[in-house]
Amino acid sequence: MRLTRVYIDAALEPGGRFTLTGSAAGHLTRVLRLGPGEHRPIERESPFPLTLAQGVSRGERMDLVVQKATELGAARLVPVLTERSIVRLDEEQSDRKSSHWRAIAIAACEQCGRNRLPEVALPTQLSEFLRQPAGESVQLLLSPGATQRIEDVPRPARGATVLIGPEGGLSDAEQNAARTAGFTAVNLGPRVLRTETAAIAALTLLQREFGDL
């Protein structure tokens, strides 16, 4: 049986009730013709919290990263602005882009059956992101020049944060700053991957090693 999901911008309590309105209500009642009792609770969130800090890339590339990171169970998405970011955003553009990416994440959740929407942060400068506390998660920097691979990382106490540069990657200074902030450089094999491919590959490997794939 195909599972239907709709996004609700509110906390739901077990056994509680919520009144649907607008397009979601119309889709369920008039298009799908669902009746009472046809939805059942299910848990599909990964037990391994993943944060993807992705260098903002152009257009469809960034959209693809948001979509696939959501499908792969990332709990948090942080668009980061770097020295080599082609995309430049002012405050108004950042708000607009964040809303756009959040809508992509909502659609991806509905498609893949996730229970919770991943947090989509506002775009932030890399230097500001590196000042944020890591908590108990391991911090990984994707770098083609690294000698260590993701599979070599000891099992983290709780979750992982992955930092990936935009088109052109991170500068040497940015990589050094990330290492100083506690990030461990890892690679994804002998080939240099596009930024969107690297994000998909890294999240897949981490979920395979420590999560639920």
Side-chain angles (χ1 to χ4, degrees), residues 61-196:
R61 290 182 179 179
M62 192 67 183
D63 292 356
L64 179 68
V65 168
V66 173
Q67 181 188 67
K68 300 311 175 187
T70 301
E71 292 178 20
L72 288 167
R76 184 170 183 247
L77 308 173
V78 185
V80 291
L81 300 170
T82 69
E83 289 182 24
R84 296 175 180 171
S85 293
I86 297 174
V87 177
R88 302 293 176 182
L89 303 172
D90 58 28
E91 184 175 349
E92 181 180 348
Q93 291 169 328
S94 292
D95 289 339
R96 188 164 61 247
K97 277 290 187 182
S98 183
S99 296
H100 171 72
W101 294 325
R102 191 168 185 266
I104 291 174
I106 289 171
C109 280
E110 292 176 343
Q111 181 275 321
C112 71
R114 282 190 63 172
N115 302 70
R116 298 173 184 85
L117 185 69
E119 177 189 347
V120 181
L122 286 171
T124 183
Q125 294 293 330
L126 177 60
S127 57
E128 181 180 342
F129 171 75
L130 293 177
R131 288 195 293 269
Q132 299 175 5
E136 297 181 355
S137 69
V138 66
Q139 299 182 93
L140 303 176
L141 162 68
L142 288 196
S143 174
T147 57
Q148 191 173 6
R149 302 188 60 158
I150 285 181
E151 300 94 314
D152 302 325
V153 175
R155 183 173 184 86
R158 178 171 172 78
T161 296
V162 186
L163 173 59
I164 302 176
E167 304 98 328
L170 298 174
S171 69
D172 290 343
E174 289 173 327
Q175 292 195 46
N176 289 335
R179 291 189 184 95
T180 300
F183 280 79
T184 299
V186 293
N187 70 52
L188 291 171
R191 290 169 294 281
V192 178
L193 305 180
R194 289 181 180 270
T195 182
E196 65 273 24

Side-chain angles (χ1 to χ4, degrees), residues 6 31 35 144:
V6 294
V31 178

